[in-house]
Amino acid sequence: MSDQKAVGRPRSAEVDEKLKRAALKLVRERGYRDVSISALIAEAGVSRQSLYNRWHSKADLVLEALTDDTEGLVQLPDPARAGSAQAALRDFLHGIFRHLALDGTTLRSLIAAAQEDPAFREALRTRFVEPREEIVTALLARAQSAGELPAGRDIRMLSAFIHGAFWYRLLNGLPLDEDTARDIAAAIFAP
Amino acid sequence: MSDQKAVGRPRSAEVDEKLKRAALKLVRERGYRDVSISALIAEAGVSRQSLYNRWHSKADLVLEALTDDTEGLVQLPDPARAGSAQAALRDFLHGIFRHLALDGTTLRSLIAAAQEDPAFREALRTRFVEPREEIVTALLARAQSAGELPAGRDIRMLSAFIHGAFWYRLLNGLPLDEDTARDIAAAIFAP
């Protein structure tokens, strides 16, 4: 890598980072709806153009900020460590639900924004939703191979049940807590 | 009932009906977001006040119009007629999914509107969501009593799985069709 490239790249990456940090900070403080593009660029200390160079909209920026921030949660849990696939699913869900105390309202707003904007709906689904669904599907597939789930069970549909129950409770304003995580995992693995 | 009451009541009920019919017609034609209160009262041929006498907002009016219009779908299916509880669930879901070809976009918009308005979220949940959930829960409870579902299964959670999978696919822009109805019912009743 040449010196020039080493100097050039971090410059733009730094601006992106500033915008993503500003986005998370402001949506957490004020709520997604009440954060304007002007407030975002003022908080980040960058130009409006540098936001639009990289993202189409506020929704796009907030989606990337949230996706990056929850990267650590998107890891296949280890059933051996948790004790069983059921316990691993419970712990995985509980980790996500704990994080929703911070960003659940933002996620609700992004899902709402996606309903009025087909391009953003596609972005939300492919960049955020599907990678998370894949984690759970992989966990269930492994559990099925290990005989913890009957061979005939439809793993893809069970994964949709799990994420569906999570969205359904989130969007209806119902609590998502440790009990919910335990009950979802128990219902999936019920004999 | 006195004559006076018989004359007085239909007057206001007629105005309400006109507004609900106008609401369904316009949201189907233009999309929820692009229907204004002015357009609604013009289409119904009534005063702005008569709308606000009865409903808080466009969301409230559209919710009631949609709730009334789908009343016929909210009936406990008869497993004896369908052949089994699994077939009854499949037919019930397929009936709902068929109707979504007409009003799925409106339902998506109402769920989106609910995310930014706690009072409307509560209204959507108690008036629309929960009565539909109860139908499915009752079907599953009956299936459990009849031995078509193992005794240990968590009926309430299974009902949340079913509605959750439906919302999850709807809000992510994925198809909801006869195959989806069949696959959901099969996964719920899988041994």
Side-chain angles (χ1 to χ4, degrees):
Chain A
M1 202 194 290
S2 75
D3 275 5
Q4 211 182 357
K5 207 170 169 191
V7 172
R9 227 187 123 266
R11 178 71 196 79
S12 145
E14 248 172 57
V15 169
D16 290 356
E17 276 313 309
K18 277 183 189 167
L19 277 162
K20 287 190 268 185
R21 273 200 305 273
L24 274 189
K25 178 171 184 283
L26 294 188
V27 295
R28 284 169 182 168
E29 283 172 11
R30 305 181 191 177
Y32 177 85
R33 188 83 163 258
D34 293 331
V35 175
S36 64
I37 296 285
S38 303
L40 281 167
I41 59 174
E43 176 73 27
V46 303
S47 70
R48 184 172 294 260
Q49 193 50 48
S50 60
L51 191 158
Y52 285 115
N53 279 344
R54 185 80 159 76
W55 293 284
H56 295 299
S57 63
K58 176 175 80 168
D60 264 326
L61 164 57
V62 173
L63 172 61
E64 188 168 329
L66 189 65
T67 304
D68 284 7
D69 195 61
T70 55
E71 201 67 49
L73 295 172
V74 189
Q75 286 180 8
L76 192 60
D78 181 0
R81 238 172 85 179
S84 66
Q86 181 177 332
L89 176 61
R90 180 201 62 207
D91 295 349
F92 177 73
L93 292 174
H94 188 210
I96 291 173
F97 296 166
R98 254 196 317 257
H99 188 269
L100 288 177
L102 192 59
D103 288 322
T105 308
T106 303
L107 179 56
R108 284 214 324 251
S109 295
L110 290 179
I111 295 170
Q115 303 317 308
E116 309 293 349
D117 177 347
F120 181 65
R121 189 156 65 240
E122 177 78 5
L124 179 66
R125 183 168 63 79
T126 56
R127 291 187 218 150
F128 189 88
V129 174
E130 287 179 349
R132 281 150 185 76
E133 194 179 313
E134 286 309 318
I135 301 281
V136 169
T137 306
L139 171 76
L140 297 176
R142 225 166 45 180
Q144 198 168 41
S145 299
E148 291 183 73
L149 271 177
R153 295 277 172 91
D154 177 351
I155 295 301
R156 293 232 148 255
M157 186 56 79
L158 293 185
S159 195
F161 283 170
I162 294 165
H163 291 275
F166 157 31
W167 279 42
Y168 187 66
R169 290 188 68 86
L170 179 73
L171 298 173
N172 276 300
L174 300 170
L176 285 163
D177 53 19
E178 192 167 0
D179 288 352
T180 317
R182 187 199 58 214
D183 292 348
I184 290 176
I188 290 293
F189 285 90
Chain B
M1 204 195 285
S2 75
D3 275 2
Q4 209 178 2
K5 210 170 168 189
V7 172
R9 227 185 124 267
R11 179 68 197 81
S12 143
E14 247 172 57
V15 169
D16 290 354
E17 276 311 310
K18 277 184 188 167
L19 276 162
K20 287 190 267 185
R21 271 198 306 272
L24 274 189
K25 178 170 185 285
L26 293 187
V27 295
R28 284 170 182 167
E29 281 172 11
R30 305 181 190 178
Y32 176 84
R33 188 83 161 263
D34 293 331
V35 175
S36 64
I37 295 285
S38 303
L40 280 168
I41 59 175
E43 175 72 27
V46 303
S47 70
R48 184 172 294 261
Q49 193 50 49
S50 61
L51 192 158
Y52 285 114
N53 278 346
R54 183 80 159 75
W55 293 284
H56 295 299
S57 63
K58 176 175 80 169
D60 264 326
L61 164 57
V62 173
L63 172 60
E64 188 168 330
L66 189 65
T67 304
D68 283 7
D69 195 60
T70 55
E71 201 67 49
L73 295 172
V74 190
Q75 285 181 9
L76 191 61
D78 181 0
R81 237 172 82 177
S84 67
Q86 181 176 331
L89 176 60
R90 180 201 62 206
D91 295 348
F92 177 72
L93 292 174
H94 187 212
I96 291 174
F97 297 166
R98 251 195 320 254
H99 189 268
L100 288 177
L102 192 61
D103 287 323
T105 308
T106 302
L107 180 56
R108 286 216 322 253
S109 294
L110 289 179
I111 295 171
Q115 303 315 309
E116 310 294 349
D117 178 347
F120 181 65
R121 189 156 64 243
E122 177 79 6
L124 179 65
R125 182 169 63 79
T126 56
R127 290 187 220 151
F128 190 87
V129 175
E130 287 179 350
R132 280 148 186 78
E133 194 179 314
E134 287 308 320
I135 300 282
V136 169
T137 306
L139 171 75
L140 297 176
R142 225 166 44 178
Q144 198 168 43
S145 300
E148 291 183 72
L149 271 176
R153 296 278 172 91
D154 178 350
I155 294 302
R156 292 233 148 253
M157 186 56 78
L158 294 185
S159 194
F161 284 170
I162 294 165
H163 291 274
F166 157 31
W167 280 43
Y168 187 65
R169 292 188 67 87
L170 179 73
L171 298 173
N172 276 300
L174 300 171
L176 286 163
D177 53 20
E178 191 166 3
D179 288 351
T180 318
R182 188 200 56 215
D183 293 348
I184 291 176
I188 290 293
F189 285 91

